[in-house]
Amino acid sequence: MWGVFHAAGVACEGELVEKPELTAAEKRAVELISKGMESPSFQPPILPAVAHEALLISKNPDLDLRQVASIIEKDSSLAARFLSVANSALYRRGGPATSVKSALTRMGLVAARDLLIYAALEKVFVIAKPLLPTVRALGHHSLAVSSGAGYLAQYKRIDIEDASLAGLVHDLGASAVLKYISDRTSVFKDLLSNAKALCNVLWELHSVAGAKLAERWELPPPVRKVIAEHHDEELTDPLVVLIAAADELALLCKKGVEFDRPQEGALARFLDGADPDVVTDAFMMRLVDVEAL
Ligand SMILES: [Fe+2]
Ligand SMILES: [Fe+2]
């Protein structure tokens, strides 16, 4: 289900590029979408209960696996997904996992939480067919940044749970904007037929749109900060700095999406002395396992 990480459709070639000048048509689309999403009549997507429960999982030291298993078992397709991930090359140890509880034991709570959130968000952001390649590319990018953030967290003793969640949802705003466009395909038909313009519009809007949705969904404050600030020029918060580095790492490993333009040098600055090429190669090898999911 996670598929390969190769971003489809709008895959980025890996070069780090400057923020583009928007065309007049792109500026109009940005204005229309911003106004629409700020309008009192706009109904933003609701955070599914299962994602809300998942957010509480890793912060509860008393939680036992049976409680988490019971959340997953309420949805048979979700339960099947957990079993398939637990039996994939990345997690498979010995015989197959045959119950949700054994799948969870194998994956660990952080990975389980992230899979629950990823699956829940997929259901929220159901998108019209012409946008599916962009959505898939964005999903693969989010998984790569989440994995990269968890990987890089070891260099600065940053909480791996926060890192992985922040990586997973850092471009939440892009999904929100795509959903808005997808629900109004007749209004945005020019944008739907122009991948470059769509990327430019997503770039312009995704941090602000994501920050608003994250606030509404009451995501943890450190994660909200990442969503709002990960493309700011001056980065100081350690988790934001980490995600900017993971964003660049994903792009260097060609797991980027065209709309997202990480800061050049964010990875080297984060590593502060360690060789970015060595770290990128090591992460690439790890991604081979993730791609087997
Ligand atoms: Fe971004
Ligand atoms: Fe990104």
Side-chain angles (χ1 to χ4, degrees):
M1 66 88 196
W2 303 67
V4 289
F5 273 108
H6 299 296
V10 290
C12 180
E13 291 306 316
E15 70 273 23
L16 298 162
V17 283
E18 293 299 313
K19 189 172 177 175
E21 260 305 308
L22 297 186
T23 64
E26 289 162 7
K27 280 184 191 158
R28 275 198 303 278
V30 164
E31 205 172 309
L32 198 58
I33 295 166
S34 302
K35 270 192 186 156
M37 292 181 86
E38 276 164 25
S39 142
S41 61
F42 172 61
Q43 302 272 331
I46 291 168
L47 181 69
V50 69
H52 185 70
E53 286 180 78
L55 284 170
L56 303 174
I57 284 177
S58 58
K59 294 294 175 198
N60 179 357
D62 302 323
L63 193 85
D64 94 40
L65 283 181
R66 276 170 303 189
Q67 284 173 267
V68 184
S70 72
I71 298 173
I72 298 162
E73 282 161 350
K74 282 180 208 158
D75 179 333
S76 59
S77 67
L78 195 58
R81 203 161 178 179
F82 267 83
L83 285 174
S84 125
V85 171
N87 288 317
S88 69
L90 187 62
Y91 292 109
R92 185 152 189 162
R93 310 276 182 273
T98 52
S99 67
V100 170
K101 187 162 173 283
S102 60
L104 289 178
T105 308
R106 199 168 280 186
M107 293 167 64
L109 279 177
V110 175
R113 175 204 62 182
D114 290 349
L115 178 53
L116 270 173
I117 292 170
Y118 186 83
L121 293 185
E122 268 184 342
K123 287 190 180 172
V124 171
F125 297 116
V126 176
I127 303 285
K129 214 169 171 187
L131 290 167
L132 282 181
T134 312
V135 171
R136 272 192 218 110
L138 180 58
H140 296 158
H141 171 71
S142 303
L143 290 169
V145 175
S146 174
S147 184
Y151 185 73
L152 293 175
Q154 65 181 323
Y155 288 90
K156 291 282 171 76
R157 293 194 190 160
I158 294 174
D159 184 325
I160 195 164
E161 296 175 11
D162 289 345
S164 140
L165 175 63
L168 191 67
V169 298
H170 75 289
D171 284 331
L172 175 73
S175 301
V177 173
L178 283 170
K179 174 75 179 147
Y180 186 86
I181 295 169
S182 171
D183 290 343
R184 295 157 184 84
T185 47
S186 56
V187 178
F188 296 107
K189 54 182 183 307
D190 292 345
L191 212 49
L192 289 167
S193 60
N194 183 340
K196 187 167 178 287
L198 179 63
C199 281
N200 288 344
V201 168
L202 287 176
W203 164 260
E204 192 68 27
L205 291 169
H206 81 281
S207 299
V208 172
K212 282 187 184 143
L213 191 56
E215 189 182 352
R216 197 173 181 105
W217 284 1
E218 296 178 0
L219 295 186
V223 174
R224 280 191 235 169
K225 202 170 172 58
V226 166
I227 293 171
E229 297 177 11
H230 69 283
H231 292 299
D232 284 3
E233 268 176 42
E234 293 288 325
L235 305 178
T236 49
D237 180 89
L239 190 58
V240 181
V241 170
L242 168 78
I243 297 303
D247 221 359
E248 190 187 13
L249 176 63
L251 185 69
L252 292 170
C253 295
K254 304 210 171 168
K255 315 300 176 195
V257 283
E258 205 170 88
F259 81 85
D260 221 16
R261 297 168 174 89
Q263 282 185 16
E264 189 166 4
L267 180 60
R269 281 197 295 281
F270 172 80
L271 290 170
D272 202 18
D275 185 342
D277 289 342
V278 172
V279 173
T280 304
D281 286 348
F283 180 64
M284 272 294 259
M285 286 166 69
R286 176 182 157 135
L287 271 181
V288 171
D289 278 345
V290 179
E291 283 175 358
L293 284 176

